[in-house]
Amino acid sequence: MRERSVSGTLFDIGNTLFMLAVLASMLIPFIYVVSYSLSTPSMLKSGLVLFPTGFTLDSYKKALEDPAVLKGAGISTLRAVIGPAVMLFITSMAAYVLTRSELGGVKWFRKYFIFTLYFSSGIIPMYLLMGYLQLKGTFLIYILPSAVSVFNLVLIKTYIEALPKELEEAAVVDGANDLRLFFQVIFPICTPVFAAVVLFECVNQWNAFMDTQIYNTMSPNLYSLQYVLYNTLNQFNSLEQLKEQGQTQVYSITPQTFKMAITVITVLPIACVYPFLQKYFIKGLLVGSIKG
């Protein structure tokens, strides 16, 4: 084998150093947040904190002791499970229909969906529409408005269009109708793009709190975890408030350590789920599906 040139070796070294720098830029902030949230406030010093100074879980105890937090976690979990499932079911079927150029009016519907990516009605018309549909104060307000995601629809449509037409032709020859063709042939092959859009929607549903603030402020039993933690954080945004409530002797926390703990609580579930879906992003499920 031909020896690598000096320029090639230097490129590899530079590329490795660059990727290590990118990794550090993403990893260090997360380590800082976790270490800060676990540190004893009286022992913290200014500067970057990469290891807990002292050790305390008081910030986490304070964030999790409220019964509303557990209820909010349940609501957010339901949102993150039901919402993506409904979105995937409806959006994937719509995307498949838009790939069928032989259907009448498909080109018009494609333009219609793309138009909504650039222009939206705004908050006030949306609020009035949700009130007219009687969705305010209900759990469905978290599910139905996001049942169709045009961005995800475009991703799925593009992926389906790239599939070999021989797959559909073979299924049609075997007597498959449109439903069987979609659910037994197209749907299993689209696992990579489905995993991607489901992860996007899970993150959106888990992090959402503005819809709670706009539509469900009068329904505490429907508060999402993010909204509960948002309200809790507002209640402890200064040391003066902690002192007024007489809790500084019970909890050795500061507003900053409390913010860090809330950040870890909200990020950790997604960080745990992401590695299990990551493999589908690059996995080629189509290899070997066509022979001949």
Side-chain angles (χ1 to χ4, degrees), residues 58 246-252:
D58 286 347
Q247 296 178 354
T248 53
Q249 296 179 355
V250 180
Y251 298 99
S252 56

Side-chain angles (χ1 to χ4, degrees), residues 208-234:
F209 75 95
M210 285 299 298
D211 48 6
T212 304
Q213 189 174 31
I214 295 174
Y215 303 113
N216 284 345
T217 52
M218 303 302 294
S219 303
N221 59 318
L222 294 176
Y223 283 0
S224 63
L225 176 62
Q226 310 300 333
Y227 188 70
V228 172
L229 295 178
Y230 171 77
N231 289 336
T232 305
L233 182 60
N234 287 337

Side-chain angles (χ1 to χ4, degrees), residues 64-129:
L64 297 175
E65 72 173 1
D66 189 352
V69 172
L70 295 179
K71 183 180 294 185
I75 295 295
S76 292
T77 301
L78 288 176
R79 292 187 58 173
V81 173
I82 300 176
V86 174
M87 183 279 301
L88 179 62
F89 181 76
I90 297 178
T91 302
S92 61
M93 289 197 298
Y96 176 68
V97 171
L98 293 181
T99 63
R100 310 305 295 266
S101 300
E102 68 274 13
L103 297 179
V106 167
K107 293 183 179 180
W108 183 87
F109 278 106
R110 290 174 183 172
K111 296 178 181 178
Y112 172 78
F113 281 114
I114 295 299
F115 178 83
T116 62
L117 283 175
Y118 298 97
F119 301 95
S120 62
S121 60
I123 295 178
I124 295 178
M126 189 70 174
Y127 181 85
L128 296 176
L129 176 62

Side-chain angles (χ1 to χ4, degrees), residues 31-96:
I31 295 176
Y32 170 77
V33 170
V34 175
S35 299
Y36 201 105
S37 65
L38 295 174
S39 299
T40 302
S42 59
M43 300 178 63
L44 283 171
K45 299 180 181 179
S46 60
L48 190 62
V49 180
L50 297 180
F51 299 96
T53 304
F55 184 82
T56 178
L57 295 175
D58 286 347
S59 295
Y60 292 92
K61 292 178 181 178
K62 183 58 186 173
L64 297 175
E65 72 173 1
D66 189 352
V69 172
L70 295 179
K71 183 180 294 185
I75 295 295
S76 292
T77 301
L78 288 176
R79 292 187 58 173
V81 173
I82 300 176
V86 174
M87 183 279 301
L88 179 62
F89 181 76
I90 297 178
T91 302
S92 61
M93 289 197 298
Y96 176 68

Side-chain angles (χ1 to χ4, degrees), residues 2-284:
R2 187 175 59 182
E3 294 182 359
R4 291 184 58 83
S5 63
V6 176
S7 60
T9 302
L10 292 177
F11 174 79
D12 289 342
I13 294 174
N15 191 38
T16 301
L17 293 176
F18 174 75
M19 296 306 298
L20 289 175
V22 173
L23 176 63
S25 67
M26 294 185 293
L27 192 59
I28 289 177
F30 184 75
I31 295 176
Y32 170 77
V33 170
V34 175
S35 299
Y36 201 105
S37 65
L38 295 174
S39 299
T40 302
S42 59
M43 300 178 63
L44 283 171
K45 299 180 181 179
S46 60
L48 190 62
V49 180
L50 297 180
F51 299 96
T53 304
F55 184 82
T56 178
L57 295 175
D58 286 347
S59 295
Y60 292 92
K61 292 178 181 178
K62 183 58 186 173
L64 297 175
E65 72 173 1
D66 189 352
V69 172
L70 295 179
K71 183 180 294 185
I75 295 295
S76 292
T77 301
L78 288 176
R79 292 187 58 173
V81 173
I82 300 176
V86 174
M87 183 279 301
L88 179 62
F89 181 76
I90 297 178
T91 302
S92 61
M93 289 197 298
Y96 176 68
V97 171
L98 293 181
T99 63
R100 310 305 295 266
S101 300
E102 68 274 13
L103 297 179
V106 167
K107 293 183 179 180
W108 183 87
F109 278 106
R110 290 174 183 172
K111 296 178 181 178
Y112 172 78
F113 281 114
I114 295 299
F115 178 83
T116 62
L117 283 175
Y118 298 97
F119 301 95
S120 62
S121 60
I123 295 178
I124 295 178
M126 189 70 174
Y127 181 85
L128 296 176
L129 176 62
M130 294 301 105
Y132 176 78
L133 296 176
Q134 298 183 355
L135 292 178
K136 292 190 299 181
T138 67
F139 181 78
L140 291 178
I141 194 67
Y142 301 141
I143 307 300
L144 294 184
S146 60
V148 176
S149 171
V150 179
F151 177 77
N152 294 337
L153 184 147
V154 173
L155 292 180
I156 298 173
K157 171 183 171 294
T158 304
Y159 190 92
I160 294 176
E161 288 177 337
L163 298 177
K165 296 299 181 183
E166 290 82 355
L167 288 173
E168 295 187 23
E169 294 174 357
V172 172
V173 170
D174 290 339
N177 55 24
D178 288 332
L179 288 178
R180 184 178 177 185
L181 175 62
F182 176 73
F183 286 107
Q184 295 187 3
V185 178
I186 302 299
F187 198 92
I189 297 176
C190 293
T191 303
V193 69
F194 287 166
V197 298
V198 164
L199 179 60
F200 296 156
E201 187 64 20
C202 283
V203 173
N204 290 335
Q205 289 283 6
W206 181 261
N207 290 334
F209 75 95
M210 285 299 298
D211 48 6
T212 304
Q213 189 174 31
I214 295 174
Y215 303 113
N216 284 345
T217 52
M218 303 302 294
S219 303
N221 59 318
L222 294 176
Y223 283 0
S224 63
L225 176 62
Q226 310 300 333
Y227 188 70
V228 172
L229 295 178
Y230 171 77
N231 289 336
T232 305
L233 182 60
N234 287 337
Q235 296 174 2
F236 300 96
N237 58 0
S238 67
L239 283 173
E240 287 74 18
Q241 288 182 336
L242 291 173
K243 292 179 181 179
E244 290 176 1
Q245 296 177 12
Q247 296 178 354
T248 53
Q249 296 179 355
V250 180
Y251 298 99
S252 56
I253 64 175
T254 64
Q256 191 66 15
T257 57
F258 191 65
K259 292 178 183 178
M260 298 299 183
I262 288 178
T263 302
V264 174
I265 292 173
T266 55
V267 170
L268 191 59
I270 297 299
C272 293
V273 172
Y274 185 83
F276 296 99
L277 296 178
Q278 172 66 20
K279 61 180 180 180
Y280 292 107
F281 295 166
I282 57 177
K283 186 176 181 180

